């Protein structure tokens, strides 16, 4: 896995039509904030929301966060105006666009081309604005590999459980929760499919929303499932879900320290002064090149989460009783 482009443990959805929520989102601890022109914004409110989003982006104030706008999907008649108004009005203040209901590679390519024209016309840096693509129906999932490699602007694939449940005719209305009557994890297949496509293309993988916003334990359970698979983060719909997301998608302090120590130890063991060894003992554990790769993933996530090392081991990395 390459270094994640940005930390996206918690991605906060903010309706572009709500001045109050836009205001509040500046003060919250989400890694990413996205202003929504799609499903959280009523059809009659979209035109006004575009104007409000441009003004909010120009005003700024989300220090250190990734700022995105979710435009409407290509099956609507709103997409081109969403992109044109937002990027022409505030492209320099925007990190990414989120494209919902990406069904095939051409959806991403169309957005890439449109963005490029607007960037040129507005004298913005061409290619700087990234794309996050939502995989949220049967077509998108079937085409996820080609979607993942459709544009160098792509930074993340996002699972959209609500639209996905509708697309599959899943027998439940509780978004993000397991449908009754099935004993295993009903989301394992789409999550793994998206994660594999994302990793193969060097992208981040983000889980979608959990709509029972007052059930933070339920949110935490759902987040823990995708985090265990390898996902980088999850959407949050309410400030009360942010701390849970940041915690679940960060490595624990012990795991982080261990990962950094494996990296240091492996670098030393493979060097001349460490004996140029490919496999060696760190305490009671054997480490090799595969351990280094696993440790790097965890260390990178820990660094991105702002963790600092509490336990630093040094050469010769031998614990008492080490027989290496
Ligand atoms: C999000 O867009 C979803 O459909 O779950
Ligand atoms: Mg959706």
């Amino acid at each position: 896995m390459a270094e994640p482009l940005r930390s996206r443990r918690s991605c906060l959805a903010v309706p572009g039509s709500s001045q109050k929520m836009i205001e509040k989102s500046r003060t919250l601890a989400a890694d990413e904030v996205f202003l929504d022109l799609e499903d959280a914004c009523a059809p009659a409110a979209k035109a006004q929301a575009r104007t409000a989003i441009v003004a909010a982006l120009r005003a700024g104030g989300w220090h250190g966060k990734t700022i995105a706008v979710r435009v409407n999907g290509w099956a609507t008649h709103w997409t081109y105006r969403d992109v044109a108004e937002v990027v022409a009005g505030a492209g320099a203040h925007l990190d990414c666009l989120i494209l919902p209901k990406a069904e095939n590679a051409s959806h991403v390519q169309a957005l890439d081309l449109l963005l490029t024209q607007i960037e040129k016309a507005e004298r913005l840096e061409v290619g700087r604005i990234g794309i996050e693509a939502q995989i949220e129906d049967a077509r998108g999932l079937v085409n996820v590999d080609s979607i993942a490699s459709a544009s160098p602007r792509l930074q993340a694939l996002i699972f959209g459980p609500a639209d996905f449940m509708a697309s599959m005719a899943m027998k439940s209305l509780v978004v993000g929760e397991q449908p009754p009557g099935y004993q295993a994890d009903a989301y394992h297949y789409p999550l793994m499919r998206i994660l594999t496509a994302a990793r193969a293309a060097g992208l981040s993988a983000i889980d979608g929303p959990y709509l029972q916003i007052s059930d933070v334990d339920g949110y935490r359970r759902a987040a823990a499932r995708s985090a265990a698979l390898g996902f980088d983060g999850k959407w949050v719909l309410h400030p009360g879900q942010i701390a849970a997301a940041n915690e679940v998608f960060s490595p624990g302090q012990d795991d982080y320290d261990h990962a950094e120590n494996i990296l240091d130890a492996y670098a030393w063991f493979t060097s001349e002064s460490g004996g140029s060894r490919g496999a060696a003992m760190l305490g009671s554990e054997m480490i090799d090149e595969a351990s280094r790769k696993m440790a790097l993933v965890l260390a990178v996530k820990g660094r991105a989460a702002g963790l600092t090392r509490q336990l630093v081991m040094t050469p010769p990395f031998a614990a008492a009783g080490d027989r290496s």
Side-chain angles (χ1 to χ4, degrees):
M1 177 189 162
E3 298 234 348
L5 294 147
R6 292 164 178 276
S7 191
R8 289 187 166 97
R9 297 167 303 171
S10 47
C11 303
L12 177 68
V14 180
S17 48
S18 169
Q19 204 51 52
K20 200 171 129 214
M21 290 192 215
I22 291 178
E23 199 58 55
K24 171 127 197 194
S25 71
R26 294 183 166 100
T27 66
L28 299 171
D31 287 343
E32 173 171 319
V33 168
F34 75 86
L35 309 179
D36 195 11
L37 283 168
E38 203 221 19
D39 287 355
C41 196
K46 289 191 197 284
Q48 172 100 51
R50 289 181 193 127
T51 312
I53 285 175
V54 168
L57 290 173
R58 293 176 77 95
W62 290 276
H63 306 292
K65 302 187 203 319
T66 295
I67 298 301
V69 171
R70 178 164 72 162
V71 297
N72 288 277
W74 286 114
T76 70
H77 60 274
W78 293 303
T79 321
Y80 79 101
R81 279 201 186 139
D82 291 346
V83 180
E85 276 192 39
V86 169
V87 179
H93 308 272
L94 182 66
D95 298 310
C96 282
L97 289 181
I98 299 180
L99 179 67
K101 300 175 181 68
E103 290 186 357
N104 55 53
S106 75
H107 283 201
V108 175
Q109 286 154 354
L111 181 57
D112 184 330
L113 289 171
L114 181 55
L115 267 170
T116 300
Q117 274 208 350
I118 301 167
E119 285 167 340
K120 283 181 181 163
E122 300 297 327
R123 300 196 193 291
L124 295 165
E125 183 187 335
V126 173
R128 191 194 59 81
I129 297 173
I131 297 176
E132 303 176 22
Q134 276 189 280
I135 306 298
E136 43 184 355
D137 57 22
R139 286 199 188 117
L141 196 61
V142 163
N143 294 319
V144 67
D145 293 325
S146 52
I147 290 172
S149 56
S151 160
R153 292 182 190 266
L154 274 166
Q155 296 188 8
L157 297 182
I158 304 164
F159 178 48
D163 278 296
F164 185 78
M165 290 166 83
S167 162
M168 302 305 284
M170 218 182 247
K171 212 172 157 195
S172 168
L173 285 174
V174 188
V175 173
E177 214 18 287
Q178 298 297 320
Y182 184 63
Q183 299 314 314
D185 182 349
Y187 304 107
H188 182 76
Y189 175 70
L191 287 173
M192 247 353 229
R193 192 72 198 78
I194 290 167
L195 177 63
T196 308
R199 293 294 184 250
L203 308 179
S204 297
I206 310 299
D207 192 6
Y210 184 86
L211 267 66
Q212 306 292 106
I213 53 172
S214 53
D215 182 2
V216 178
D217 288 341
Y219 178 90
R220 193 181 286 275
R221 267 196 314 275
R225 275 199 304 268
S226 50
L229 294 177
F231 271 68
D232 301 294
K234 184 169 172 65
W235 277 15
V236 290
L237 300 184
H238 186 269
Q241 297 176 329
I242 294 175
N246 287 347
E247 183 196 316
V248 169
F249 289 97
S250 301
Q253 183 68 47
D254 289 353
D255 286 343
Y256 172 67
D257 284 340
H258 189 46
E260 294 284 15
N261 284 324
I262 289 177
L263 292 178
D264 285 354
Y266 191 67
W268 185 73
F269 283 128
T270 50
S271 74
E272 224 165 278
S273 38
S276 303
R277 283 175 278 176
M281 294 300 286
L282 177 64
S284 57
E285 168 191 25
M286 199 189 87
I287 60 168
D288 63 7
E289 174 57 22
S291 325
R292 185 195 67 80
K293 287 199 185 96
M294 291 172 66
L296 183 60
V297 171
L298 220 138
V300 164
K301 284 195 180 187
R303 290 173 207 161
L307 294 183
T308 51
R309 291 175 76 170
Q310 306 289 319
L311 177 71
V312 181
M313 294 174 75
T314 48
F317 295 100
D322 183 358
R323 283 164 306 177
S324 63

